[in-house]
Amino acid sequence: MHGAARETRKTTSALSVILINLPYRTATVKLKPRVISTMENCFTAVFEQDDDWWIAYVEELPGANTQGRTLEEARANLKEAVALVLAANRELAEREIADKPVLKEKLVVTT
């Protein structure tokens, strides 16, 4: 299903606070409970064993990195890291365009 996206809707019920460190800015983002549109995406996960730990990151998404004592734990942690980075980036973008006339549309990219 590489390159395909499936949209679903879900309601977030809890507030989350995320500290995002990007090369160009640092921000603390509070995610508000709301109905959000989610997408199923395909990324390249990289796993490196370092002694008793697994280090994991996503090639296409800076900031999405984690670790785990087992490969399974690293995989689960990486999925959570990706979801948090995407949600925080979405929230930062929403703040940037608040009260501005913008056009938003779905963009599908197949590689």
Coordinates of all heavy atoms in Angstrom, one line a residue, residues 23-109:
P23 N 15.2 22.2 14.1 CA 16.4 23.0 13.8 C 16.2 24.5 13.8 O 17.0 25.3 14.2 CB 16.9 22.6 12.4 CG 16.3 21.3 12.2 CD 15.0 21.2 13.0
Y24 N 15.0 24.9 13.5 CA 14.7 26.3 13.3 C 13.8 26.9 14.4 O 13.6 28.1 14.5 CB 14.0 26.6 12.0 CG 12.9 25.7 11.7 CD1 11.6 26.1 12.0 CD2 13.1 24.5 11.1 CE1 10.5 25.2 11.8 CE2 12.0 23.6 10.8 CZ 10.7 24.0 11.2 OH 9.7 23.2 10.9
R25 N 13.2 26.0 15.3 CA 12.5 26.6 16.4 C 12.2 25.5 17.5 O 12.2 24.3 17.2 CB 11.2 27.2 15.9 CG 10.2 26.2 15.3 CD 9.0 26.9 14.8 NE 8.3 26.0 13.8 CZ 7.4 26.3 13.1 NH1 6.9 27.5 13.1 NH2 6.8 25.4 12.2
T26 N 11.8 25.9 18.7 CA 11.4 25.0 19.7 C 10.1 25.5 20.2 O 9.9 26.7 20.4 CB 12.4 25.0 20.9 OG1 13.7 24.6 20.4 CG2 12.0 24.1 22.0
A27 N 9.1 24.6 20.4 CA 7.8 25.0 20.8 C 7.2 24.0 21.7 O 7.4 22.8 21.5 CB 6.9 25.2 19.6
T28 N 6.4 24.4 22.7 CA 5.6 23.5 23.4 C 4.2 23.6 22.9 O 3.6 24.7 22.8 CB 5.6 23.9 24.9 OG1 7.0 23.9 25.4 CG2 4.7 23.0 25.8
V29 N 3.6 22.5 22.6 CA 2.3 22.5 21.9 C 1.3 21.8 22.7 O 1.5 20.6 23.1 CB 2.4 21.9 20.5 CG1 1.0 21.8 19.8 CG2 3.4 22.6 19.6
K30 N 0.2 22.4 23.1 CA -1.0 21.7 23.7 C -1.9 21.3 22.6 O -2.4 22.2 21.9 CB -1.6 22.6 24.7 CG -0.8 22.8 26.0 CD -1.7 23.6 27.0 CE -0.9 23.8 28.3 NZ -1.6 24.5 29.3
L31 N -2.2 20.0 22.5 CA -3.2 19.6 21.5 C -4.6 19.6 22.2 O -4.8 19.0 23.2 CB -2.8 18.2 21.1 CG -1.4 18.0 20.5 CD1 -1.1 16.6 20.1 CD2 -1.3 18.9 19.3
K32 N -5.5 20.3 21.5 CA -6.8 20.4 22.0 C -7.7 19.2 21.6 O -7.5 18.7 20.6 CB -7.5 21.7 21.4 CG -6.7 22.9 21.7 CD -7.3 24.1 21.0 CE -6.2 25.1 20.6 NZ -6.3 25.6 19.3
P33 N -8.6 18.8 22.5 CA -9.6 17.8 22.1 C -10.4 18.3 20.9 O -10.9 19.4 21.0 CB -10.4 17.6 23.3 CG -9.7 18.2 24.5 CD -8.9 19.3 23.9
R34 N -10.5 17.5 19.9 CA -11.2 17.9 18.7 C -11.4 16.7 17.8 O -10.6 15.7 17.9 CB -10.6 19.1 18.0 CG -9.2 18.8 17.5 CD -8.6 20.0 16.8 NE -7.2 19.7 16.5 CZ -6.6 20.1 15.4 NH1 -7.3 20.9 14.6 NH2 -5.4 19.8 15.2
V35 N -12.3 16.8 16.8 CA -12.4 15.8 15.8 C -11.3 16.1 14.8 O -11.2 17.2 14.3 CB -13.8 15.8 15.1 CG1 -13.8 14.8 14.0 CG2 -14.8 15.5 16.2
I36 N -10.5 15.1 14.5 CA -9.4 15.3 13.5 C -9.4 14.3 12.4 O -10.0 13.2 12.6 CB -8.0 15.3 14.2 CG1 -7.8 13.9 14.9 CG2 -7.8 16.4 15.2 CD1 -6.4 13.7 15.5
S37 N -8.9 14.7 11.3 CA -8.8 13.7 10.2 C -7.5 13.1 10.3 O -6.4 13.8 10.4 CB -9.0 14.5 8.9 OG -8.8 13.7 7.8
T38 N -7.4 11.8 10.2 CA -6.1 11.1 10.2 C -5.9 10.4 8.9 O -6.8 10.1 8.2 CB -6.1 10.0 11.4 OG1 -7.2 9.1 11.1 CG2 -6.3 10.7 12.7
M39 N -4.6 10.2 8.6 CA -4.2 9.5 7.4 C -3.3 8.4 7.7 O -2.5 8.4 8.6 CB -3.5 10.5 6.5 CG -4.3 11.8 6.1 SD -5.6 11.4 5.0 CE -4.7 11.0 3.5
E40 N -3.4 7.3 6.9 CA -2.5 6.2 7.0 C -1.3 6.6 6.0 O -1.6 6.8 4.8 CB -3.1 4.9 6.6 CG -2.2 3.7 6.8 CD -2.9 2.5 6.4 OE1 -3.9 2.1 7.2 OE2 -2.6 1.8 5.4
N41 N -0.1 6.7 6.5 CA 1.0 7.0 5.7 C 2.0 5.9 5.7 O 2.0 5.1 6.6 CB 1.7 8.3 6.3 CG 0.8 9.5 6.3 OD1 0.5 10.0 5.2 ND2 0.3 9.9 7.4
C42 N 2.9 6.0 4.7 CA 4.0 5.0 4.6 C 5.3 5.7 4.7 O 5.6 6.6 3.9 CB 3.8 4.3 3.2 SG 5.0 2.9 3.0
F43 N 6.1 5.3 5.7 CA 7.4 5.9 5.9 C 8.5 4.8 6.0 O 8.2 3.6 6.1 CB 7.5 6.6 7.3 CG 6.5 7.8 7.4 CD1 5.4 7.7 8.1 CD2 6.8 9.0 6.7 CE1 4.5 8.8 8.2 CE2 5.9 10.1 6.8 CZ 4.8 10.0 7.6
T44 N 9.7 5.2 5.9 CA 10.9 4.3 6.0 C 11.4 4.3 7.4 O 12.0 5.3 7.8 CB 12.0 4.6 5.0 OG1 11.4 4.7 3.7 CG2 13.1 3.6 5.0
A45 N 11.2 3.2 8.2 CA 11.7 3.1 9.5 C 13.1 2.5 9.5 O 13.3 1.5 8.8 CB 10.8 2.3 10.4
V46 N 14.0 3.1 10.2 CA 15.4 2.5 10.3 C 15.6 2.1 11.8 O 15.4 2.9 12.7 CB 16.4 3.6 9.9 CG1 17.8 3.0 10.0 CG2 16.2 4.1 8.5
F47 N 16.1 0.9 12.0 CA 16.4 0.4 13.3 C 17.9 0.0 13.4 O 18.3 -0.8 12.5 CB 15.5 -0.9 13.6 CG 14.0 -0.6 13.5 CD1 13.3 -0.8 12.4 CD2 13.4 0.0 14.6 CE1 12.0 -0.5 12.3 CE2 12.0 0.2 14.6 CZ 11.3 0.0 13.4
E48 N 18.5 0.4 14.4 CA 20.0 0.1 14.6 C 20.1 -0.5 16.0 O 19.6 0.1 17.0 CB 20.8 1.4 14.5 CG 20.8 2.1 13.2 CD 21.6 3.4 13.3 OE1 22.6 3.5 14.1 OE2 21.3 4.3 12.5
Q49 N 20.8 -1.6 16.1 CA 21.0 -2.2 17.4 C 22.3 -1.6 18.0 O 23.3 -1.5 17.4 CB 21.1 -3.7 17.4 CG 21.1 -4.3 18.7 CD 20.8 -5.8 18.7 OE1 20.9 -6.5 17.7 NE2 20.4 -6.4 19.8
D50 N 22.2 -1.1 19.2 CA 23.3 -0.5 20.0 C 23.4 -1.2 21.3 O 22.6 -0.9 22.2 CB 23.0 1.0 20.1 CG 24.2 1.7 20.8 OD1 25.3 1.1 20.8 OD2 24.0 2.9 21.2
D51 N 24.2 -2.2 21.4 CA 24.3 -3.0 22.6 C 23.0 -3.7 22.9 O 22.5 -4.4 22.0 CB 24.8 -2.2 23.8 CG 26.3 -1.8 23.6 OD1 27.1 -2.5 23.0 OD2 26.6 -0.7 24.1
D52 N 22.4 -3.4 24.0 CA 21.1 -4.0 24.4 C 19.9 -3.2 24.0 O 18.8 -3.5 24.3 CB 21.0 -4.2 25.9 CG 22.0 -5.2 26.4 OD1 22.4 -6.1 25.6 OD2 22.4 -5.2 27.6
W53 N 20.1 -2.1 23.3 CA 19.0 -1.2 22.9 C 18.8 -1.2 21.4 O 19.8 -1.4 20.6 CB 19.3 0.2 23.3 CG 19.2 0.4 24.8 CD1 20.1 0.2 25.8 CD2 18.0 0.8 25.5 NE1 19.6 0.4 27.0 CE2 18.3 0.8 26.9 CE3 16.7 1.2 25.1 CZ2 17.4 1.1 27.9 CZ3 15.8 1.5 26.1 CH2 16.2 1.5 27.4
W54 N 17.6 -0.8 20.9 CA 17.4 -0.6 19.5 C 17.1 0.9 19.4 O 16.2 1.5 20.1 CB 16.2 -1.4 19.0 CG 16.5 -2.8 18.8 CD1 16.4 -3.8 19.8 CD2 17.0 -3.4 17.7 NE1 16.8 -5.0 19.2 CE2 17.1 -4.8 17.9 CE3 17.2 -3.0 16.4 CZ2 17.6 -5.7 17.0 CZ3 17.7 -3.9 15.4 CH2 17.9 -5.2 15.7
I55 N 17.8 1.6 18.5 CA 17.6 3.0 18.1 C 16.7 3.0 16.8 O 17.0 2.2 15.9 CB 18.9 3.7 17.9 CG1 19.9 3.4 19.0 CG2 18.7 5.2 17.6 CD1 19.4 3.8 20.4
A56 N 15.7 3.8 16.8 CA 14.8 3.9 15.7 C 14.5 5.3 15.2 O 14.4 6.2 16.1 CB 13.5 3.2 16.0
Y57 N 14.4 5.5 13.9 CA 14.1 6.8 13.4 C 13.4 6.6 12.0 O 13.5 5.6 11.4 CB 15.3 7.7 13.3 CG 16.4 7.3 12.4 CD1 16.4 7.7 11.1 CD2 17.4 6.5 12.9 CE1 17.5 7.3 10.2 CE2 18.4 6.0 12.1 CZ 18.5 6.4 10.7 OH 19.5 6.0 9.9
V58 N 12.8 7.7 11.6 CA 12.1 7.7 10.3 C 12.9 8.6 9.3 O 13.2 9.7 9.7 CB 10.7 8.2 10.4 CG1 10.0 8.4 9.0 CG2 9.8 7.2 11.2
E59 N 13.3 8.0 8.2 CA 14.2 8.8 7.3 C 13.5 10.1 6.8 O 14.2 11.1 6.7 CB 14.5 7.9 6.0 CG 15.5 6.8 6.2 CD 15.8 6.0 5.0 OE1 15.0 6.2 4.0 OE2 16.8 5.3 5.0
E60 N 12.2 10.0 6.5 CA 11.6 11.1 5.9 C 11.0 12.2 6.9 O 10.5 13.2 6.4 CB 10.3 10.6 5.1 CG 10.7 9.6 4.0 CD 10.6 8.2 4.5 OE1 10.5 7.9 5.7 OE2 10.7 7.3 3.6
L61 N 11.2 12.0 8.2 CA 10.5 12.9 9.1 C 11.5 13.2 10.2 O 11.6 12.5 11.3 CB 9.3 12.2 9.7 CG 8.3 13.0 10.5 CD1 7.8 14.2 9.7 CD2 7.2 12.1 11.0
P62 N 12.2 14.4 10.1 CA 13.2 14.8 11.1 C 12.4 14.9 12.5 O 11.3 15.4 12.5 CB 13.7 16.1 10.6 CG 13.4 16.1 9.2 CD 12.2 15.3 9.0
G63 N 13.1 14.5 13.5 CA 12.5 14.6 14.8 C 11.7 13.3 15.3 O 11.4 13.2 16.5
A64 N 11.4 12.5 14.4 CA 10.7 11.2 14.7 C 11.8 10.1 15.0 O 12.3 9.4 14.1 CB 9.8 10.8 13.6
N65 N 12.2 10.1 16.2 CA 13.2 9.1 16.6 C 13.0 8.6 18.1 O 12.3 9.4 18.8 CB 14.7 9.6 16.5 CG 14.8 11.0 17.1 OD1 14.7 11.1 18.3 ND2 15.0 12.0 16.3
T66 N 13.4 7.4 18.4 CA 13.2 6.9 19.7 C 14.1 5.7 19.9 O 15.1 5.5 19.2 CB 11.7 6.4 19.8 OG1 11.4 6.1 21.1 CG2 11.4 5.3 18.9
Q67 N 13.8 4.9 21.0 CA 14.6 3.8 21.3 C 13.7 2.8 22.0 O 12.7 3.1 22.5 CB 15.8 4.1 22.1 CG 15.5 4.7 23.5 CD 16.7 5.2 24.2 OE1 17.8 5.3 23.7 NE2 16.5 5.4 25.5
G68 N 14.2 1.5 22.1 CA 13.5 0.5 22.9 C 14.5 -0.6 23.3 O 15.5 -0.8 22.6
R69 N 14.1 -1.3 24.3 CA 15.0 -2.4 24.8 C 14.8 -3.6 23.8 O 15.7 -4.4 23.7 CB 14.6 -2.9 26.2 CG 15.1 -1.9 27.2 CD 15.4 -2.6 28.5 NE 15.9 -1.7 29.5 CZ 17.2 -1.5 29.7 NH1 18.1 -2.1 29.0 NH2 17.6 -0.7 30.6
T70 N 13.7 -3.7 23.1 CA 13.5 -4.8 22.1 C 13.1 -4.1 20.8 O 12.7 -2.9 20.8 CB 12.3 -5.7 22.5 OG1 11.1 -5.0 22.5 CG2 12.6 -6.3 23.9
L71 N 13.2 -4.8 19.7 CA 12.8 -4.3 18.4 C 11.3 -4.0 18.4 O 10.9 -2.9 17.9 CB 13.1 -5.3 17.3 CG 12.9 -4.9 15.9 CD1 13.6 -3.6 15.5 CD2 13.3 -6.1 15.0
E72 N 10.5 -4.8 19.0 CA 9.1 -4.6 19.1 C 8.7 -3.3 19.8 O 7.9 -2.5 19.4 CB 8.3 -5.8 19.7 CG 8.4 -7.0 18.9 CD 9.7 -7.8 19.0 OE1 10.5 -7.5 19.9 OE2 10.0 -8.5 18.0
E73 N 9.4 -3.1 21.0 CA 9.2 -1.8 21.7 C 9.7 -0.6 20.9 O 9.0 0.4 20.9 CB 10.0 -1.9 23.1 CG 9.8 -0.7 23.9 CD 10.6 -0.7 25.2 OE1 11.6 -1.5 25.3 OE2 10.3 0.0 26.1
A74 N 10.8 -0.7 20.2 CA 11.3 0.4 19.4 C 10.3 0.7 18.3 O 10.0 1.9 18.0 CB 12.6 0.1 18.8
R75 N 9.7 -0.3 17.7 CA 8.7 -0.1 16.6 C 7.4 0.6 17.2 O 6.9 1.6 16.6 CB 8.2 -1.5 16.0 CG 9.1 -2.0 15.0 CD 8.4 -3.2 14.3 NE 9.4 -3.8 13.4 CZ 9.9 -5.0 13.6 NH1 9.5 -5.8 14.6 NH2 10.8 -5.5 12.7
A76 N 7.0 0.2 18.3 CA 5.8 0.8 18.9 C 6.1 2.2 19.3 O 5.3 3.1 19.1 CB 5.3 0.0 20.2
N77 N 7.3 2.5 19.9 CA 7.7 3.8 20.3 C 7.8 4.7 19.1 O 7.5 5.9 19.1 CB 9.0 3.8 21.1 CG 8.8 3.2 22.4 OD1 7.7 3.0 22.9 ND2 10.0 2.9 23.0
L78 N 8.3 4.2 18.0 CA 8.5 5.0 16.8 C 7.1 5.4 16.2 O 6.9 6.5 15.7 CB 9.3 4.2 15.7 CG 9.7 5.0 14.5 CD1 10.5 6.3 14.9 CD2 10.6 4.2 13.6
K79 N 6.1 4.5 16.2 CA 4.8 4.8 15.7 C 4.2 6.0 16.5 O 3.6 6.9 16.0 CB 3.9 3.6 15.8 CG 4.2 2.6 14.7 CD 3.2 1.4 14.8 CE 3.5 0.3 13.8 NZ 2.6 -0.8 13.8
E80 N 4.4 5.9 17.8 CA 3.9 7.0 18.7 C 4.7 8.3 18.4 O 4.0 9.4 18.3 CB 4.1 6.6 20.2 CG 3.6 7.7 21.1 CD 3.7 7.3 22.6 OE1 4.5 6.3 22.9 OE2 3.1 8.0 23.4
A81 N 6.0 8.2 18.2 CA 6.8 9.4 17.9 C 6.3 10.1 16.6 O 6.2 11.3 16.6 CB 8.3 9.1 17.9
V82 N 6.1 9.3 15.6 CA 5.6 9.8 14.3 C 4.3 10.5 14.5 O 4.1 11.6 14.0 CB 5.6 8.7 13.2 CG1 4.8 9.2 12.0 CG2 7.0 8.2 12.9
A83 N 3.4 9.9 15.2 CA 2.0 10.5 15.4 C 2.1 11.8 16.2 O 1.5 12.8 15.8 CB 1.1 9.5 16.2
L84 N 3.0 11.8 17.2 CA 3.2 13.1 17.9 C 3.8 14.2 17.1 O 3.4 15.3 17.2 CB 4.0 12.8 19.2 CG 3.3 11.9 20.3 CD1 4.3 11.6 21.4 CD2 2.1 12.7 20.8
V85 N 4.8 13.9 16.3 CA 5.5 14.9 15.5 C 4.5 15.4 14.5 O 4.4 16.6 14.3 CB 6.7 14.3 14.8 CG1 7.2 15.2 13.7 CG2 7.8 14.1 15.8
L86 N 3.7 14.6 13.8 CA 2.7 15.0 12.8 C 1.7 15.9 13.5 O 1.3 16.9 12.9 CB 2.1 13.8 12.1 CG 3.0 13.0 11.2 CD1 2.3 11.8 10.6 CD2 3.6 13.9 10.1
A87 N 1.2 15.5 14.6 CA 0.1 16.2 15.3 C 0.7 17.6 15.8 O 0.0 18.6 15.6 CB -0.4 15.5 16.5
A88 N 1.9 17.6 16.3 CA 2.5 18.9 16.7 C 2.7 19.8 15.5 O 2.5 21.0 15.6 CB 3.8 18.6 17.5
N89 N 3.2 19.3 14.4 CA 3.4 20.1 13.2 C 2.1 20.6 12.7 O 2.1 21.8 12.3 CB 4.1 19.3 12.1 CG 5.6 19.0 12.4 OD1 6.2 19.7 13.3 ND2 6.2 18.1 11.7
R90 N 1.1 19.8 12.7 CA -0.2 20.3 12.3 C -0.7 21.4 13.2 O -1.2 22.4 12.7 CB -1.2 19.1 12.3 CG -2.6 19.5 11.7 CD -3.5 18.2 11.7 NE -3.0 17.3 10.7 CZ -2.6 16.1 10.9 NH1 -2.6 15.6 12.2 NH2 -2.1 15.3 10.0
E91 N -0.6 21.3 14.5 CA -1.0 22.3 15.4 C -0.2 23.6 15.2 O -0.7 24.7 15.2 CB -0.8 21.8 16.9 CG -1.3 22.8 17.9 CD -2.8 22.9 18.0 OE1 -3.5 22.0 17.5 OE2 -3.3 24.0 18.4
L92 N 1.1 23.5 15.0 CA 2.0 24.7 14.8 C 1.5 25.4 13.5 O 1.5 26.6 13.4 CB 3.4 24.3 14.7 CG 4.1 23.9 16.0 CD1 5.5 23.3 15.8 CD2 4.2 25.1 16.9
A93 N 1.2 24.6 12.4 CA 0.8 25.2 11.2 C -0.6 25.9 11.3 O -0.8 27.0 10.8 CB 0.7 24.1 10.1
E94 N -1.5 25.3 12.1 CA -2.8 25.9 12.4 C -2.6 27.3 13.1 O -3.3 28.2 12.8 CB -3.7 25.0 13.2 CG -4.2 23.8 12.5 CD -5.2 24.2 11.4 OE1 -5.9 25.2 11.5 OE2 -5.2 23.4 10.4
R95 N -1.7 27.4 14.0 CA -1.4 28.6 14.7 C -0.9 29.7 13.7 O -1.2 30.8 13.8 CB -0.4 28.4 15.8 CG -0.9 27.7 17.0 CD 0.1 27.5 18.1 NE -0.4 26.7 19.2 CZ 0.3 26.5 20.3 NH1 1.5 27.0 20.4 NH2 -0.2 25.7 21.2
E96 N 0.0 29.2 12.8 CA 0.6 30.2 11.9 C -0.4 30.8 10.9 O -0.3 31.9 10.5 CB 1.7 29.5 11.0 CG 2.9 29.1 11.8 CD 3.8 30.3 12.1 OE1 3.9 31.2 11.2 OE2 4.4 30.3 13.2
I97 N -1.5 30.0 10.5 CA -2.4 30.5 9.6 C -3.7 31.0 10.2 O -4.6 31.4 9.5 CB -2.8 29.4 8.5 CG1 -3.4 28.2 9.2 CG2 -1.5 29.0 7.7 CD1 -3.9 27.1 8.2
A98 N -3.8 31.0 11.5 CA -5.0 31.5 12.2 C -5.3 32.9 11.7 O -4.4 33.7 11.6 CB -4.8 31.4 13.7
D99 N -6.6 33.1 11.4 CA -7.0 34.4 11.0 C -6.5 34.9 9.7 O -6.5 36.1 9.4 CB -6.8 35.5 12.1 CG -7.5 35.1 13.4 OD1 -8.6 34.6 13.3 OD2 -6.9 35.4 14.4
K100 N -5.9 34.0 8.9 CA -5.4 34.3 7.6 C -6.2 33.6 6.5 O -6.7 32.5 6.7 CB -3.9 33.9 7.4 CG -3.0 34.6 8.3 CD -1.6 34.1 8.1 CE -0.6 34.7 9.0 NZ 0.8 34.2 8.9
P101 N -6.5 34.3 5.4 CA -7.2 33.6 4.3 C -6.3 32.6 3.6 O -5.3 33.0 3.0 CB -7.6 34.8 3.4 CG -6.6 35.8 3.6 CD -6.1 35.7 5.1
V102 N -6.6 31.3 3.8 CA -5.8 30.3 3.2 C -6.7 29.3 2.5 O -7.9 29.2 2.8 CB -4.9 29.5 4.3 CG1 -4.0 30.5 4.9 CG2 -5.8 28.8 5.3
L103 N -6.1 28.5 1.6 CA -6.8 27.4 1.0 C -6.1 26.1 1.4 O -4.9 26.0 1.4 CB -6.7 27.5 -0.6 CG -7.1 26.3 -1.4 CD1 -8.6 26.2 -1.2 CD2 -6.8 26.5 -2.8
K104 N -6.9 25.2 1.9 CA -6.3 23.9 2.4 C -7.0 22.8 1.5 O -8.1 22.8 1.2 CB -6.7 23.6 3.8 CG -6.0 24.6 4.8 CD -6.5 24.4 6.2 CE -5.7 23.2 6.8 NZ -6.0 23.1 8.3
E105 N -6.1 21.9 1.1 CA -6.6 20.8 0.3 C -5.7 19.6 0.5 O -4.6 19.7 1.0 CB -6.6 21.1 -1.2 CG -5.2 21.4 -1.8 CD -5.3 21.9 -3.3 OE1 -6.3 22.5 -3.7 OE2 -4.3 21.6 -4.0
K106 N -6.3 18.4 0.2 CA -5.5 17.2 0.4 C -4.5 17.1 -0.7 O -4.8 17.4 -1.9 CB -6.5 16.0 0.3 CG -5.8 14.7 0.6 CD -6.8 13.5 0.5 CE -8.0 13.7 1.4 NZ -8.8 12.5 1.5
L107 N -3.3 16.6 -0.4 CA -2.2 16.4 -1.3 C -1.8 15.0 -1.3 O -1.4 14.5 -0.2 CB -1.0 17.3 -0.9 CG 0.2 17.2 -1.8 CD1 0.0 17.6 -3.2 CD2 1.4 17.9 -1.2
V108 N -1.9 14.3 -2.4 CA -1.5 12.9 -2.5 C -0.3 12.8 -3.3 O -0.2 13.3 -4.4 CB -2.7 12.0 -3.1 CG1 -2.2 10.6 -3.2 CG2 -3.9 12.2 -2.3
V109 N 0.7 12.2 -2.8 CA 2.0 12.0 -3.5 C 2.3 10.5 -3.5 O 2.3 9.8 -2.5 CB 3.2 12.7 -2.7 CG1 4.5 12.5 -3.4 CG2 2.8 14.2 -2.6

